[in-house]
């Protein structure tokens, strides 16, 4: 997406105004932007719209307009994402989407064929693991392990302190352990 932003730059930096504007853009990377309903992943083609700026009254800054092309991560409720598991707890699965954004699948949002992976973390785990191996041999269950990829549906987006947490569900068709296609 292309957008127009403003940057407030100290007059001492006006000789390097574009570099100062890039510093502002760098600050926005990976932070949730309510105006875009997403987080900036990267930007390109940045330039100053004009060579002059607006001197701000009562503040020692000059306001410059910047145009750029942005790549924004903007998940929506109901969309499908893939996350890499980094924690399997007794009542949730923690993941990272794009290696950066936190996602969580509470146990109540996980299909029953995966719940044994969570139960194996608590008391009686050794007996549970034996039972799971038997069930896996029969093809009734699948395991969730750290490092595996999961396809899930976005249920809610929680924003707290500028950080995004995606709460998901893995009960629908096509959701679960994800194996990407590899071209030979």
């Amino acid at each position: 997406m292309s957008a127009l932003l403003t940057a407030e730059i100290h007059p001492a930096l006006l000789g390097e105004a574009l570099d100062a504007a890039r510093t502002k853009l760098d600050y926005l990377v990976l932070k949730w932007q309510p105006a875009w309903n997403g987080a900036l992943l990267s930007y390109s083609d940045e330039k100053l719209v004009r060579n002059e700026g607006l001197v701000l009254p009562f503040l020692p800054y000059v306001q410059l307009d910047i145009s750029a092309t942005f790549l924004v991560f903007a998940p929506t409720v109901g969309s499908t994402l893939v996350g890499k598991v980094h924690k399997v707890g007794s009542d949730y699965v923690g993941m990272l989407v794009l290696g950066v954004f936190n996602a969580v699948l509470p146990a109540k949002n996980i299909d029953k064929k995966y719940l044994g992976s969570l139960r194996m973390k608590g008391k009686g785990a050794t007996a549970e693991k034996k039972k799971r191996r038997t069930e896996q041999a029969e093809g009734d269950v699948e395991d969730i392990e750290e490092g595996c990829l999961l396809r899930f549906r976005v249920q809610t987006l929680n924003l707290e302190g500028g950080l995004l947490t995606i709460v998901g569900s893995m009960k629908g068709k096509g959701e679960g352990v994800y194996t990407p296609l590899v071209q030979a």
Side-chain angles (χ1 to χ4, degrees), residues 128-167:
E128 185 65 35
K129 285 180 182 177
K130 280 185 179 179
K131 181 180 173 193
R132 291 287 289 175
R133 279 196 290 272
T134 303
E135 290 172 340
Q136 280 179 315
E138 295 169 2
D140 296 338
V141 296
E142 293 186 53
D143 268 342
I144 297 173
E145 301 172 335
E146 289 182 17
C148 77
L149 299 175
L150 298 178
R151 179 180 287 173
F152 67 97
R153 184 177 37 82
V154 176
Q155 195 170 41
T156 60
L157 300 169
N158 295 335
L159 187 61
E160 204 167 308
L163 297 174
L164 173 67
T165 300
I166 303 164
V167 179

Side-chain angles (χ1 to χ4, degrees), residues 10-89:
H10 193 277
L13 299 174
L14 285 176
E16 301 138 11
L18 187 56
D19 288 338
R22 285 184 183 120
T23 299
K24 176 177 178 162
L25 291 173
D26 289 343
Y27 176 77
L28 298 176
V29 173
L30 298 180
K31 292 191 175 75
W32 189 261
Q33 302 301 317
W36 302 334
N37 285 320
L40 181 63
L41 296 177
S42 68
Y43 62 89
S44 62
D45 303 323
E46 65 279 4
K47 57 185 170 239
L48 297 175
V49 175
R50 297 186 287 286
N51 285 332
E52 64 265 354
L54 172 67
V55 177
L56 299 174
F58 309 110
L59 295 172
Y61 292 97
V62 176
Q63 189 176 58
L64 298 173
D65 292 329
I66 313 162
S67 69
T69 302
F70 299 111
L71 177 61
V72 177
F73 173 65
T76 56
V77 172
S79 62
T80 301
L81 298 175
V82 174
K84 185 173 185 178
V85 175
H86 66 85
K87 175 76 174 158
V88 179

Side-chain angles (χ1 to χ4, degrees), residues 107-118:
K108 67 179 183 169
N109 295 354
I110 299 174
D111 190 288
K112 64 183 178 181
K113 71 180 177 180
Y114 298 105
L115 289 178
S117 298
L118 279 58

